[in-house]
Amino acid sequence: QVQLVESGGGLVQAGGSLRLSCAASGDIFSINAMAWYRQAPGKQRELVATITSDGSTNYADSVKGRFTISRDNAKNTVYLQMNSLKPEDTAVYRCNANIVAVTTAKEFRYWGQGTQVSVSS
């Protein structure tokens, strides 16, 4: 079994910052790509940022220059540093990770439970 546990969400004023964390644990042999998604009420899920196992990153245009994705492979953790937050960043943020399990040697995509980020104007 693999678990992804997110933390770091909350309420912040516009212009503020938050740092989200997502820690993977359990039956892990290796972790390939990791990503953050978000979904606001009444809107479709949006890919926010991705990071490969070697650290290559990609961002949605809406967050470029404001958000930074990073990972600590020793801790099986991915982070999302969010600066200059805007009310339109309000959403539930979820991480995912493509993980190869020790027991099966197969890759599967796992999701965290989500953490709420609310930005007030």
Side-chain angles (χ1 to χ4, degrees):
Q1 280 283 17
V2 173
Q3 280 192 317
L4 269 61
V5 178
E6 296 130 339
S7 60
L11 174 64
V12 65
Q13 286 190 329
S17 298
L18 284 173
R19 189 193 194 206
L20 305 183
S21 299
C22 171
S25 62
D27 182 20
I28 299 172
F29 174 73
S30 64
I31 302 178
N32 297 319
M34 306 180 84
W36 286 96
Y37 285 75
R38 68 185 181 186
Q39 188 166 19
K43 294 189 176 181
Q44 288 192 333
R45 186 173 63 194
E46 176 187 20
L47 176 60
V48 176
T50 63
I51 185 167
T52 64
S53 56
D54 63 1
S56 297
T57 59
N58 271 296
Y59 297 92
D61 287 342
S62 57
V63 306
K64 279 181 182 176
R66 300 188 298 120
F67 290 10
T68 302
I69 188 170
S70 62
R71 61 192 286 171
D72 184 335
N73 291 329
K75 296 182 178 181
N76 291 336
T77 300
V78 62
Y79 305 97
L80 187 67
Q81 177 66 45
M82 305 185 293
N83 299 328
S84 302
L85 282 161
K86 305 175 181 180
E88 50 264 43
D89 294 318
T90 295
V92 174
Y93 285 71
R94 296 180 72 191
C95 64
N96 74 30
N98 295 339
I99 296 174
V100 178
V102 173
T103 53
T104 65
K106 293 181 179 179
E107 183 179 274
F108 188 78
R109 178 168 292 178
Y110 294 88
W111 288 85
Q113 79 286 356
T115 186
Q116 176 70 46
V117 171
S118 299
V119 185
S120 63
S121 57

